[in-house]
PDB file of all heavy atoms in Angstrom:
ATOM      1  N   GLY F  51     -31.301 -14.772  22.945  1.00 95.00           N
ATOM      2  CA  GLY F  51     -32.106 -15.445  21.932  1.00 95.00           C
ATOM      3  C   GLY F  51     -33.598 -15.416  22.223  1.00 95.00           C
ATOM      4  O   GLY F  51     -34.368 -16.120  21.575  1.00 95.00           O
ATOM      5  N   LEU F  52     -34.024 -14.595  23.182  1.00 95.00           N
ATOM      6  CA  LEU F  52     -35.442 -14.507  23.534  1.00 95.00           C
ATOM      7  C   LEU F  52     -36.206 -13.526  22.657  1.00 95.00           C
ATOM      8  O   LEU F  52     -37.426 -13.603  22.558  1.00 95.00           O
ATOM      9  CB  LEU F  52     -35.588 -14.104  25.011  1.00 95.00           C
ATOM     10  CG  LEU F  52     -34.909 -15.036  26.014  1.00 95.00           C
ATOM     11  CD1 LEU F  52     -34.969 -14.446  27.414  1.00 95.00           C
ATOM     12  CD2 LEU F  52     -35.562 -16.403  25.970  1.00 95.00           C
ATOM     13  N   LYS F  53     -35.493 -12.584  22.071  1.00 96.00           N
ATOM     14  CA  LYS F  53     -36.079 -11.595  21.164  1.00 96.00           C
ATOM     15  C   LYS F  53     -35.178 -11.475  19.943  1.00 96.00           C
ATOM     16  O   LYS F  53     -33.980 -11.770  20.008  1.00 96.00           O
ATOM     17  CB  LYS F  53     -36.194 -10.222  21.842  1.00 96.00           C
ATOM     18  CG  LYS F  53     -37.317 -10.116  22.843  1.00 96.00           C
ATOM     19  CD  LYS F  53     -37.525  -8.661  23.232  1.00 96.00           C
ATOM     20  CE  LYS F  53     -38.777  -8.493  24.035  1.00 96.00           C
ATOM     21  NZ  LYS F  53     -39.977  -8.412  23.228  1.00 96.00           N
ATOM     22  N   THR F  54     -35.762 -11.021  18.852  1.00 97.00           N
ATOM     23  CA  THR F  54     -34.986 -10.796  17.631  1.00 97.00           C
ATOM     24  C   THR F  54     -34.552  -9.333  17.580  1.00 97.00           C
ATOM     25  O   THR F  54     -35.070  -8.490  18.324  1.00 97.00           O
ATOM     26  CB  THR F  54     -35.825 -11.104  16.382  1.00 97.00           C
ATOM     27  OG1 THR F  54     -36.910 -10.170  16.320  1.00 97.00           O
ATOM     28  CG2 THR F  54     -36.350 -12.540  16.393  1.00 97.00           C
ATOM     29  N   VAL F  55     -33.629  -9.035  16.690  1.00 97.00           N
ATOM     30  CA  VAL F  55     -33.190  -7.656  16.504  1.00 97.00           C
ATOM     31  C   VAL F  55     -34.358  -6.774  16.048  1.00 97.00           C
ATOM     32  O   VAL F  55     -34.534  -5.671  16.582  1.00 97.00           O
ATOM     33  CB  VAL F  55     -31.985  -7.582  15.534  1.00 97.00           C
ATOM     34  CG1 VAL F  55     -31.661  -6.141  15.163  1.00 97.00           C
ATOM     35  CG2 VAL F  55     -30.765  -8.259  16.164  1.00 97.00           C
ATOM     36  N   PRO F  56     -35.194  -7.209  15.085  1.00 97.00           N
ATOM     37  CA  PRO F  56     -36.345  -6.371  14.715  1.00 97.00           C
ATOM     38  C   PRO F  56     -37.306  -6.137  15.894  1.00 97.00           C
ATOM     39  O   PRO F  56     -37.874  -5.045  16.017  1.00 97.00           O
ATOM     40  CB  PRO F  56     -37.024  -7.158  13.591  1.00 97.00           C
ATOM     41  CG  PRO F  56     -35.927  -7.967  12.980  1.00 97.00           C
ATOM     42  CD  PRO F  56     -35.049  -8.342  14.145  1.00 97.00           C
ATOM     43  N   GLN F  57     -37.477  -7.135  16.743  1.00 97.00           N
ATOM     44  CA  GLN F  57     -38.324  -6.943  17.924  1.00 97.00           C
ATOM     45  C   GLN F  57     -37.705  -5.911  18.866  1.00 97.00           C
ATOM     46  O   GLN F  57     -38.400  -5.084  19.442  1.00 97.00           O
ATOM     47  CB  GLN F  57     -38.527  -8.267  18.671  1.00 97.00           C
ATOM     48  CG  GLN F  57     -39.435  -9.229  17.957  1.00 97.00           C
ATOM     49  CD  GLN F  57     -39.437 -10.605  18.597  1.00 97.00           C
ATOM     50  OE1 GLN F  57     -38.423 -11.075  19.116  1.00 97.00           O
ATOM     51  NE2 GLN F  57     -40.599 -11.254  18.570  1.00 97.00           N
ATOM     52  N   TYR F  58     -36.377  -5.968  19.023  1.00 97.00           N
ATOM     53  CA  TYR F  58     -35.673  -4.985  19.847  1.00 97.00           C
ATOM     54  C   TYR F  58     -35.928  -3.587  19.301  1.00 97.00           C
ATOM     55  O   TYR F  58     -36.268  -2.670  20.055  1.00 97.00           O
ATOM     56  CB  TYR F  58     -34.177  -5.298  19.868  1.00 97.00           C
ATOM     57  CG  TYR F  58     -33.332  -4.263  20.573  1.00 97.00           C
ATOM     58  CD1 TYR F  58     -33.166  -4.288  21.956  1.00 97.00           C
ATOM     59  CD2 TYR F  58     -32.702  -3.259  19.869  1.00 97.00           C
ATOM     60  CE1 TYR F  58     -32.395  -3.331  22.602  1.00 97.00           C
ATOM     61  CE2 TYR F  58     -31.927  -2.304  20.504  1.00 97.00           C
ATOM     62  CZ  TYR F  58     -31.774  -2.355  21.872  1.00 97.00           C
ATOM     63  OH  TYR F  58     -31.018  -1.402  22.508  1.00 97.00           O
ATOM     64  N   PHE F  59     -35.761  -3.407  18.006  1.00 97.00           N
ATOM     65  CA  PHE F  59     -35.977  -2.106  17.371  1.00 97.00           C
ATOM     66  C   PHE F  59     -37.395  -1.601  17.656  1.00 97.00           C
ATOM     67  O   PHE F  59     -37.589  -0.450  18.057  1.00 97.00           O
ATOM     68  CB  PHE F  59     -35.736  -2.211  15.864  1.00 97.00           C
ATOM     69  CG  PHE F  59     -35.937  -0.929  15.121  1.00 97.00           C
ATOM     70  CD1 PHE F  59     -34.989   0.069  15.162  1.00 97.00           C
ATOM     71  CD2 PHE F  59     -37.079  -0.707  14.364  1.00 97.00           C
ATOM     72  CE1 PHE F  59     -35.169   1.264  14.474  1.00 97.00           C
ATOM     73  CE2 PHE F  59     -37.278   0.476  13.681  1.00 97.00           C
ATOM     74  CZ  PHE F  59     -36.322   1.465  13.736  1.00 97.00           C
ATOM     75  N   ALA F  60     -38.371  -2.454  17.493  1.00 97.00           N
ATOM     76  CA  ALA F  60     -39.771  -2.078  17.743  1.00 97.00           C
ATOM     77  C   ALA F  60     -39.995  -1.762  19.217  1.00 97.00           C
ATOM     78  O   ALA F  60     -40.687  -0.792  19.558  1.00 97.00           O
ATOM     79  CB  ALA F  60     -40.707  -3.185  17.276  1.00 97.00           C
ATOM     80  N   ASP F  61     -39.411  -2.560  20.097  1.00 95.00           N
ATOM     81  CA  ASP F  61     -39.572  -2.332  21.532  1.00 95.00           C
ATOM     82  C   ASP F  61     -38.937  -1.012  21.965  1.00 95.00           C
ATOM     83  O   ASP F  61     -39.480  -0.303  22.813  1.00 95.00           O
ATOM     84  CB  ASP F  61     -38.947  -3.484  22.329  1.00 95.00           C
ATOM     85  CG  ASP F  61     -39.743  -4.778  22.231  1.00 95.00           C
ATOM     86  OD1 ASP F  61     -40.921  -4.734  21.814  1.00 95.00           O
ATOM     87  OD2 ASP F  61     -39.173  -5.832  22.558  1.00 95.00           O
ATOM     88  N   VAL F  62     -37.789  -0.697  21.393  1.00 95.00           N
ATOM     89  CA  VAL F  62     -37.124   0.573  21.721  1.00 95.00           C
ATOM     90  C   VAL F  62     -38.020   1.742  21.310  1.00 95.00           C
ATOM     91  O   VAL F  62     -38.201   2.696  22.069  1.00 95.00           O
ATOM     92  CB  VAL F  62     -35.731   0.654  21.059  1.00 95.00           C
ATOM     93  CG1 VAL F  62     -35.141   2.047  21.175  1.00 95.00           C
ATOM     94  CG2 VAL F  62     -34.794  -0.374  21.691  1.00 95.00           C
ATOM     95  N   GLN F  63     -38.602   1.654  20.121  1.00 95.00           N
ATOM     96  CA  GLN F  63     -39.519   2.709  19.690  1.00 95.00           C
ATOM     97  C   GLN F  63     -40.751   2.758  20.590  1.00 95.00           C
ATOM     98  O   GLN F  63     -41.235   3.842  20.910  1.00 95.00           O
ATOM     99  CB  GLN F  63     -39.931   2.504  18.237  1.00 95.00           C
ATOM    100  CG  GLN F  63     -38.818   2.841  17.262  1.00 95.00           C
ATOM    101  CD  GLN F  63     -39.295   2.781  15.839  1.00 95.00           C
ATOM    102  OE1 GLN F  63     -39.830   1.772  15.393  1.00 95.00           O
ATOM    103  NE2 GLN F  63     -39.119   3.870  15.122  1.00 95.00           N
ATOM    104  N   ALA F  64     -41.219   1.612  21.017  1.00 92.00           N
ATOM    105  CA  ALA F  64     -42.392   1.564  21.896  1.00 92.00           C
ATOM    106  C   ALA F  64     -42.098   2.216  23.245  1.00 92.00           C
ATOM    107  O   ALA F  64     -43.016   2.717  23.908  1.00 92.00           O
ATOM    108  CB  ALA F  64     -42.847   0.125  22.094  1.00 92.00           C
ATOM    109  N   LEU F  65     -40.829   2.243  23.639  1.00 90.00           N
ATOM    110  CA  LEU F  65     -40.443   2.927  24.869  1.00 90.00           C
ATOM    111  C   LEU F  65     -40.463   4.444  24.707  1.00 90.00           C
ATOM    112  O   LEU F  65     -40.298   5.163  25.680  1.00 90.00           O
ATOM    113  CB  LEU F  65     -39.048   2.480  25.321  1.00 90.00           C
ATOM    114  CG  LEU F  65     -38.938   1.077  25.898  1.00 90.00           C
ATOM    115  CD1 LEU F  65     -37.470   0.729  26.172  1.00 90.00           C
ATOM    116  CD2 LEU F  65     -39.742   0.963  27.177  1.00 90.00           C
ATOM    117  N   GLY F  66     -40.631   4.909  23.475  1.00 91.00           N
ATOM    118  CA  GLY F  66     -40.710   6.343  23.237  1.00 91.00           C
ATOM    119  C   GLY F  66     -39.483   6.963  22.615  1.00 91.00           C
ATOM    120  O   GLY F  66     -39.400   8.184  22.470  1.00 91.00           O
ATOM    121  N   TYR F  67     -38.528   6.146  22.229  1.00 94.00           N
ATOM    122  CA  TYR F  67     -37.330   6.675  21.580  1.00 94.00           C
ATOM    123  C   TYR F  67     -37.653   7.051  20.138  1.00 94.00           C
ATOM    124  O   TYR F  67     -38.448   6.388  19.480  1.00 94.00           O
ATOM    125  CB  TYR F  67     -36.200   5.643  21.605  1.00 94.00           C
ATOM    126  CG  TYR F  67     -35.637   5.424  22.986  1.00 94.00           C
ATOM    127  CD1 TYR F  67     -36.184   4.462  23.824  1.00 94.00           C
ATOM    128  CD2 TYR F  67     -34.589   6.182  23.467  1.00 94.00           C
ATOM    129  CE1 TYR F  67     -35.686   4.262  25.100  1.00 94.00           C
ATOM    130  CE2 TYR F  67     -34.082   5.987  24.742  1.00 94.00           C
ATOM    131  CZ  TYR F  67     -34.641   5.023  25.550  1.00 94.00           C
ATOM    132  OH  TYR F  67     -34.144   4.837  26.814  1.00 94.00           O
ATOM    133  N   ALA F  68     -37.021   8.096  19.671  1.00 95.00           N
ATOM    134  CA  ALA F  68     -37.187   8.536  18.287  1.00 95.00           C
ATOM    135  C   ALA F  68     -36.648   7.456  17.347  1.00 95.00           C
ATOM    136  O   ALA F  68     -35.733   6.711  17.719  1.00 95.00           O
ATOM    137  CB  ALA F  68     -36.437   9.844  18.055  1.00 95.00           C
ATOM    138  N   PRO F  69     -37.205   7.362  16.135  1.00 95.00           N
ATOM    139  CA  PRO F  69     -36.725   6.347  15.185  1.00 95.00           C
ATOM    140  C   PRO F  69     -35.212   6.383  14.945  1.00 95.00           C
ATOM    141  O   PRO F  69     -34.577   5.331  14.880  1.00 95.00           O
ATOM    142  CB  PRO F  69     -37.506   6.658  13.910  1.00 95.00           C
ATOM    143  CG  PRO F  69     -38.770   7.294  14.406  1.00 95.00           C
ATOM    144  CD  PRO F  69     -38.351   8.098  15.613  1.00 95.00           C
ATOM    145  N   ASP F  70     -34.640   7.576  14.840  1.00 95.00           N
ATOM    146  CA  ASP F  70     -33.184   7.672  14.626  1.00 95.00           C
ATOM    147  C   ASP F  70     -32.417   7.104  15.811  1.00 95.00           C
ATOM    148  O   ASP F  70     -31.401   6.426  15.644  1.00 95.00           O
ATOM    149  CB  ASP F  70     -32.758   9.111  14.383  1.00 95.00           C
ATOM    150  CG  ASP F  70     -33.193   9.644  13.038  1.00 95.00           C
ATOM    151  OD1 ASP F  70     -33.595   8.849  12.170  1.00 95.00           O
ATOM    152  OD2 ASP F  70     -33.118  10.875  12.853  1.00 95.00           O
ATOM    153  N   ASP F  71     -32.893   7.398  17.019  1.00 95.00           N
ATOM    154  CA  ASP F  71     -32.224   6.871  18.210  1.00 95.00           C
ATOM    155  C   ASP F  71     -32.418   5.368  18.318  1.00 95.00           C
ATOM    156  O   ASP F  71     -31.502   4.641  18.708  1.00 95.00           O
ATOM    157  CB  ASP F  71     -32.747   7.566  19.460  1.00 95.00           C
ATOM    158  CG  ASP F  71     -32.298   9.018  19.539  1.00 95.00           C
ATOM    159  OD1 ASP F  71     -31.224   9.347  19.018  1.00 95.00           O
ATOM    160  OD2 ASP F  71     -33.037   9.816  20.136  1.00 95.00           O
ATOM    161  N   ALA F  72     -33.601   4.869  17.964  1.00 96.00           N
ATOM    162  CA  ALA F  72     -33.848   3.427  17.983  1.00 96.00           C
ATOM    163  C   ALA F  72     -32.919   2.724  16.997  1.00 96.00           C
ATOM    164  O   ALA F  72     -32.378   1.651  17.299  1.00 96.00           O
ATOM    165  CB  ALA F  72     -35.310   3.133  17.664  1.00 96.00           C
ATOM    166  N   GLU F  73     -32.715   3.325  15.848  1.00 96.00           N
ATOM    167  CA  GLU F  73     -31.817   2.731  14.853  1.00 96.00           C
ATOM    168  C   GLU F  73     -30.374   2.731  15.356  1.00 96.00           C
ATOM    169  O   GLU F  73     -29.653   1.746  15.208  1.00 96.00           O
ATOM    170  CB  GLU F  73     -31.915   3.473  13.517  1.00 96.00           C
ATOM    171  CG  GLU F  73     -31.125   2.809  12.426  1.00 96.00           C
ATOM    172  CD  GLU F  73     -31.415   3.366  11.041  1.00 96.00           C
ATOM    173  OE1 GLU F  73     -32.459   4.020  10.849  1.00 96.00           O
ATOM    174  OE2 GLU F  73     -30.586   3.135  10.158  1.00 96.00           O
ATOM    175  N   LEU F  74     -29.972   3.825  15.985  1.00 94.00           N
ATOM    176  CA  LEU F  74     -28.621   3.916  16.531  1.00 94.00           C
ATOM    177  C   LEU F  74     -28.411   2.838  17.590  1.00 94.00           C
ATOM    178  O   LEU F  74     -27.414   2.110  17.574  1.00 94.00           O
ATOM    179  CB  LEU F  74     -28.425   5.309  17.148  1.00 94.00           C
ATOM    180  CG  LEU F  74     -27.115   5.572  17.837  1.00 94.00           C
ATOM    181  CD1 LEU F  74     -26.677   6.996  17.577  1.00 94.00           C
ATOM    182  CD2 LEU F  74     -27.259   5.352  19.326  1.00 94.00           C
ATOM    183  N   LEU F  75     -29.358   2.708  18.513  1.00 96.00           N
ATOM    184  CA  LEU F  75     -29.246   1.704  19.568  1.00 96.00           C
ATOM    185  C   LEU F  75     -29.229   0.293  18.993  1.00 96.00           C
ATOM    186  O   LEU F  75     -28.475  -0.572  19.457  1.00 96.00           O
ATOM    187  CB  LEU F  75     -30.401   1.869  20.556  1.00 96.00           C
ATOM    188  CG  LEU F  75     -30.379   3.162  21.383  1.00 96.00           C
ATOM    189  CD1 LEU F  75     -31.711   3.378  22.076  1.00 96.00           C
ATOM    190  CD2 LEU F  75     -29.232   3.144  22.378  1.00 96.00           C
ATOM    191  N   THR F  76     -30.037   0.054  17.971  1.00 97.00           N
ATOM    192  CA  THR F  76     -30.083  -1.265  17.336  1.00 97.00           C
ATOM    193  C   THR F  76     -28.766  -1.572  16.633  1.00 97.00           C
ATOM    194  O   THR F  76     -28.252  -2.691  16.719  1.00 97.00           O
ATOM    195  CB  THR F  76     -31.264  -1.338  16.352  1.00 97.00           C
ATOM    196  OG1 THR F  76     -32.479  -1.074  17.080  1.00 97.00           O
ATOM    197  CG2 THR F  76     -31.364  -2.698  15.688  1.00 97.00           C
ATOM    198  N   THR F  77     -28.206  -0.576  15.968  1.00 95.00           N
ATOM    199  CA  THR F  77     -26.920  -0.766  15.287  1.00 95.00           C
ATOM    200  C   THR F  77     -25.820  -1.107  16.288  1.00 95.00           C
ATOM    201  O   THR F  77     -24.997  -1.996  16.034  1.00 95.00           O
ATOM    202  CB  THR F  77     -26.559   0.494  14.487  1.00 95.00           C
ATOM    203  OG1 THR F  77     -27.573   0.739  13.520  1.00 95.00           O
ATOM    204  CG2 THR F  77     -25.208   0.361  13.799  1.00 95.00           C
ATOM    205  N   LEU F  78     -25.818  -0.432  17.434  1.00 95.00           N
ATOM    206  CA  LEU F  78     -24.835  -0.758  18.463  1.00 95.00           C
ATOM    207  C   LEU F  78     -25.017  -2.185  18.968  1.00 95.00           C
ATOM    208  O   LEU F  78     -24.042  -2.913  19.167  1.00 95.00           O
ATOM    209  CB  LEU F  78     -24.942   0.230  19.628  1.00 95.00           C
ATOM    210  CG  LEU F  78     -24.416   1.640  19.361  1.00 95.00           C
ATOM    211  CD1 LEU F  78     -24.768   2.551  20.523  1.00 95.00           C
ATOM    212  CD2 LEU F  78     -22.913   1.614  19.145  1.00 95.00           C
ATOM    213  N   LEU F  79     -26.255  -2.593  19.165  1.00 97.00           N
ATOM    214  CA  LEU F  79     -26.534  -3.950  19.639  1.00 97.00           C
ATOM    215  C   LEU F  79     -26.049  -4.975  18.623  1.00 97.00           C
ATOM    216  O   LEU F  79     -25.411  -5.973  18.974  1.00 97.00           O
ATOM    217  CB  LEU F  79     -28.018  -4.138  19.921  1.00 97.00           C
ATOM    218  CG  LEU F  79     -28.445  -5.553  20.324  1.00 97.00           C
ATOM    219  CD1 LEU F  79     -27.737  -5.998  21.602  1.00 97.00           C
ATOM    220  CD2 LEU F  79     -29.943  -5.622  20.482  1.00 97.00           C
ATOM    221  N   VAL F  80     -26.347  -4.745  17.348  1.00 96.00           N
ATOM    222  CA  VAL F  80     -25.902  -5.675  16.298  1.00 96.00           C
ATOM    223  C   VAL F  80     -24.383  -5.773  16.300  1.00 96.00           C
ATOM    224  O   VAL F  80     -23.818  -6.867  16.159  1.00 96.00           O
ATOM    225  CB  VAL F  80     -26.456  -5.252  14.916  1.00 96.00           C
ATOM    226  CG1 VAL F  80     -25.797  -6.034  13.801  1.00 96.00           C
ATOM    227  CG2 VAL F  80     -27.972  -5.432  14.889  1.00 96.00           C
ATOM    228  N   GLY F  81     -23.705  -4.642  16.485  1.00 94.00           N
ATOM    229  CA  GLY F  81     -22.233  -4.668  16.568  1.00 94.00           C
ATOM    230  C   GLY F  81     -21.748  -5.503  17.733  1.00 94.00           C
ATOM    231  O   GLY F  81     -20.768  -6.238  17.613  1.00 94.00           O
ATOM    232  N   GLU F  82     -22.443  -5.410  18.865  1.00 93.00           N
ATOM    233  CA  GLU F  82     -22.085  -6.230  20.012  1.00 93.00           C
ATOM    234  C   GLU F  82     -22.338  -7.713  19.750  1.00 93.00           C
ATOM    235  O   GLU F  82     -21.551  -8.563  20.152  1.00 93.00           O
ATOM    236  CB  GLU F  82     -22.863  -5.760  21.245  1.00 93.00           C
ATOM    237  CG  GLU F  82     -22.465  -4.386  21.723  1.00 93.00           C
ATOM    238  CD  GLU F  82     -23.386  -3.802  22.775  1.00 93.00           C
ATOM    239  OE1 GLU F  82     -24.305  -4.504  23.238  1.00 93.00           O
ATOM    240  OE2 GLU F  82     -23.183  -2.635  23.131  1.00 93.00           O
TER     241      GLU F  82
END
Side-chain angles (χ1 to χ4, degrees):
L52 302 173
K53 285 192 170 278
T54 65
V55 171
Q57 288 171 326
Y58 174 84
F59 180 77
D61 289 344
V62 170
Q63 287 186 305
L65 287 174
Y67 290 89
D70 289 346
D71 290 331
E73 186 169 342
L74 177 143
L75 293 167
T76 302
T77 300
L78 287 172
L79 176 60
V80 169
E82 293 169 6

